[in-house]
Amino acid sequence: STIRQQSSIQRIPGPPPSSWLLGNMLQLFLPPYGYYDDIWRKAYGTVYRFQGCFGRDRLMVSDPLALQHILNSGEFEFAPIFDTLFRWLFGERNMAVLKGKEHRNLRTAWNAAFTAGAVRQYQPILEKVAQGISEKLDASDSPAIDICPLLSSATVSSTTEVVFGCAVDDLGAEFVESNSNIMASSATQSSAQILVDEFGGLLPSWLFRRTIYLPTKASQALRTHVELASREGWRLVREKMDAVKQGLDGGDDVYSMLLRPDAQTNKSLRPEDIVAQTSVMMIGGSDTTAYTLVWALVELAKNPELQDSLRAEIHGRPRTSRGDVAYDSMPLLNATIKESLRIYPVRPWTYRVATKDTFIPLSQSILSTTGERLSQIQVKKGQLVTLGFASYQKLESRWGEDSGQFKPGRWLESRVPQSDAIGPYANLLAFSGGAHACVGWRLAVLEMQVILSELLDKFTFSLPVEESIEPRYMTNLMPTNADGQKRAAFCVKRVL
Ligand code: HEM
């Protein structure tokens, strides 16, 4: 009975820790990206135990049923590390940290602004932003162009135009600069930071959150950023509320739609609830979308035949009855985007914590270290669980023996899971799943469709011989050069 009372975590096989202080954390999270996660998944299966700092047991989960349960059952919430980081980056009342009814109300309103129909209206705006990237590429005569800054500024523009209804230049320069500084400084990963995160997670959450008031430069920058986001957010919202009062047409952007007096969904939504999303909107959708695009371009540059086939599909330009480009009717384009999200999920891992003693069901039973078959895992309240989105997206049992390779063809040949709906898009978990799944996924997909079509229509992409582009886990999956610096250099030529 002692054994039964024990959490079954201790009896789950996994790698030995490399040190007491840091457990397996450095192996998992420092370069090369995904190396140990792949090895351990193959050795120990879709659930394995590994050690966090200070000898704390953690679970890595890539079993589809287990992931579905953790994301949807309501028995798990964001682990303190991310909960606190998100409060610092985006403010106390952003949707990623709200819970229960408050979160549901906000998401209902927001989801209504991101339906397939609503997002389709933004196509012309996004096409204009995409043409801006081409103009910059045309203006450059460098033999190797770093595409990262061009894509990041395009995705920031897309967000401000679509969500706030204004150009980036219409936002306060201070806020825009603070935004890019914050994005750069939150994208790190080092042994010191892993220790600080873990140590913070051991503090009571109210105390951990208050460490932002420590007199360090970094916490000062975060506090200023949240203040600037609130100031800009209020300015935008007030302008739109004034327009409504004067009977003017407020515009089609997300904020205007949410503030429209006849909006079906905004009954319980207050202006301050909208303002509080300004930082998460700016940051949530920019590097994520930009990096996924970089990875698609990297793979297309490595495979010129694939690039040519996709270009031919793009030059065929299917149109809707209204004359718009019908991106959803371009099979290879969509397969390429899905494959990029599958192999390079910008958020390869996320963390949850059990809010009560419970069980996690498994789609395939595992053998415990004491020789029992486990079809579910008993966890105690407070157990930290790492959701291995990257690992799930590489499961041989789901995606085939060649699951580690970038092959868009698998989507066209229907060699992918068809039925069970895990995650909002294509049974992938790159956008997470459940109540806190990415609110902007449809916008992200359209942005990627539009930008890839624009760029491949006009340019060919190849990799310079003297440079490489490697994925590096920096909280996001960042493209880096051999020195570990953010950079994705391509030789770009006009299509003749
Ligand atoms: C390829 C692009 C994108 C990827 C891969 C991505 C990925 C994700 C993931 C994995 C989460 C869940 C976070 C977690 O569980 O740790 C998330 C949440 C979120 N994303 Fe995205 N995202 C993308 C684009 C966007 C865009 C374009 C927007 C905004 C317009 C956006 C806004 C958000 C917001 C606000 C949340 C929090 C939702 C909530 O907690 O209710 N994302 N995203």
Side-chain angles (χ1 to χ4, degrees):
S1 72
T2 351
I3 293 210
R4 220 177 304 134
Q5 273 163 21
Q6 238 179 27
S7 146
S8 55
I9 300 271
Q10 281 84 34
R11 290 181 286 137
I12 292 172
S18 60
S19 82
W20 175 80
L21 188 64
L22 286 150
N24 302 106
M25 298 294 274
L26 300 192
Q27 290 162 301
L28 258 184
F29 298 124
L30 294 191
Y33 162 69
Y35 178 77
Y36 283 100
D37 193 21
D38 273 346
I39 291 182
W40 292 338
R41 184 186 75 249
K42 285 177 187 154
Y44 304 109
T46 51
V47 179
Y48 63 82
R49 180 176 48 81
F50 68 101
Q51 240 166 58
C53 305
F54 322 122
R56 293 215 296 167
D57 278 326
R58 292 202 182 191
L59 267 189
M60 173 66 84
V61 178
S62 56
D63 178 280
L65 184 64
L67 288 170
Q68 224 167 2
H69 178 82
I70 294 165
L71 290 166
N72 293 292
S73 65
E75 293 175 348
F76 294 81
E77 59 185 38
F78 270 113
I81 305 163
F82 271 4
D83 185 73
T84 303
L85 181 69
F86 287 171
R87 281 169 203 270
W88 288 351
L89 288 171
F90 311 138
E92 290 289 327
R93 305 217 20 99
N94 83 82
M95 66 176 81
V97 304
L98 291 182
K99 298 193 173 80
K101 192 155 176 275
E102 271 188 321
H103 178 255
R104 267 197 308 279
N105 284 346
L106 196 67
R107 281 297 300 251
T108 306
W110 237 266
N111 289 345
F114 283 109
T115 59
V119 165
R120 211 171 299 126
Q121 289 179 44
Y122 304 130
Q123 190 166 314
I125 298 178
L126 300 177
E127 284 168 345
K128 224 176 91 205
V129 170
Q131 285 155 16
I133 312 174
S134 293
E135 282 159 24
K136 287 187 190 154
L137 287 175
D138 273 333
S140 166
D141 50 13
S142 163
I145 303 176
D146 180 8
I147 197 96
C148 285
L150 301 188
L151 291 177
S152 288
S153 82
T155 51
V156 170
S157 291
S158 305
T159 307
T160 63
E161 297 274 1
V162 167
V163 180
F164 309 145
C166 71
V168 177
D169 292 344
D170 297 334
L171 294 172
E174 247 185 315
F175 174 56
V176 176
E177 199 193 319
S178 152
N179 197 65
S180 59
N181 291 342
I182 290 289
M183 289 204 294
S185 61
S186 61
T188 63
Q189 206 62 227
S190 66
S191 46
Q193 196 215 328
I194 288 171
L195 267 175
V196 169
D197 283 353
E198 188 85 3
F199 189 69
L202 289 172
L203 299 174
S205 52
W206 64 269
L207 188 60
F208 187 17
R209 282 180 215 157
R210 292 193 68 82
T211 57
I212 196 174
Y213 294 104
L214 291 173
T216 64
K217 251 196 191 153
S219 53
Q220 175 66 50
L222 281 166
R223 272 161 24 219
T224 308
H225 174 71
V226 170
E227 279 161 29
L228 288 170
S230 172
R231 195 176 78 194
E232 286 303 313
W234 272 118
R235 192 177 58 76
L236 290 164
V237 163
R238 285 218 180 86
E239 277 173 16
K240 292 175 198 301
M241 286 165 66
D242 287 347
V244 170
K245 264 189 217 140
Q246 291 165 27
L248 298 172
D249 175 19
D252 292 327
D253 56 279
V254 172
Y255 274 21
S256 294
M257 276 166 27
L258 292 170
L259 285 163
R260 213 170 276 157
D262 60 344
Q264 294 286 315
T265 48
N266 72 353
K267 303 246 155 48
S268 54
L269 204 63
R270 300 162 304 171
E272 54 266 43
D273 300 327
I274 299 173
V275 171
Q277 312 312 318
T278 305
S279 175
V280 77
M281 286 289 122
M282 276 293 272
I283 295 179
S286 32
D287 280 351
T288 44
T289 314
Y291 294 168
T292 312
L293 280 165
V294 169
W295 298 123
L297 290 172
V298 167
E299 292 293 342
L300 291 165
K302 285 185 193 162
N303 187 342
E305 261 175 52
L306 174 66
Q307 189 179 148
D308 288 341
S309 312
L310 179 52
R311 185 170 297 106
E313 181 180 272
I314 291 165
H315 285 164
R317 249 182 229 95
R319 302 260 171 194
T320 65
S321 52
R322 286 174 32 205
D324 302 326
V325 179
Y327 297 104
D328 286 342
S329 309
M330 300 164 82
L332 190 53
L333 175 67
N334 294 298
T336 304
I337 290 170
K338 287 171 190 164
E339 197 67 347
S340 188
L341 287 164
R342 188 180 72 82
I343 297 272
Y344 303 100
V346 178
R347 173 68 47 79
W349 299 280
T350 192
Y351 312 102
R352 292 290 193 273
V353 60
T355 55
K356 56 191 235 194
D357 294 354
T358 182
F359 292 91
I360 302 175
L362 301 176
S363 67
Q364 271 182 319
S365 64
I366 56 166
L367 207 56
S368 77
T369 50
T370 46
E372 297 140 89
R373 283 246 145 243
L374 304 175
S375 59
Q376 53 180 13
I377 296 166
Q378 194 179 354
V379 292
K380 289 237 175 291
K381 181 178 174 176
Q383 176 63 49
L384 275 182
V385 183
T386 303
L387 311 194
F389 293 160
S391 248
Y392 159 78
Q393 296 188 156
K394 280 195 187 165
L395 291 181
E396 288 76 8
S397 57
R398 281 181 89 80
W399 312 96
E401 286 307 312
D402 58 357
S403 65
Q405 293 163 27
F406 188 94
K407 288 187 182 168
R410 78 180 74 248
W411 298 93
L412 306 174
E413 298 148 15
S414 303
R415 288 196 289 122
V416 292
Q418 304 286 325
S419 51
D420 51 357
I422 294 189
Y425 182 57
N427 282 316
L428 295 169
L429 283 173
F431 293 115
S432 189
H436 282 276
C438 180
V439 76
W441 73 267
R442 279 203 182 87
L443 179 64
V445 170
L446 182 60
E447 261 177 67
M448 294 191 284
Q449 291 172 326
V450 168
I451 293 176
L452 273 184
S453 300
E454 164 71 20
L455 294 182
L456 291 166
D457 176 39
K458 295 189 176 144
F459 303 95
T460 61
F461 290 81
S462 58
L463 295 170
V465 270
E466 63 283 2
E467 282 199 63
S468 64
I469 307 174
E470 294 299 328
R472 185 173 176 147
Y473 178 63
M474 302 284 274
T475 313
N476 279 344
L477 199 57
M478 181 188 275
T480 56
N481 64 11
D483 300 329
Q485 302 302 311
K486 174 171 162 177
R487 184 171 159 88
F490 290 90
C491 303
V492 185
K493 291 212 172 67
R494 261 278 177 185
V495 173
L496 298 175

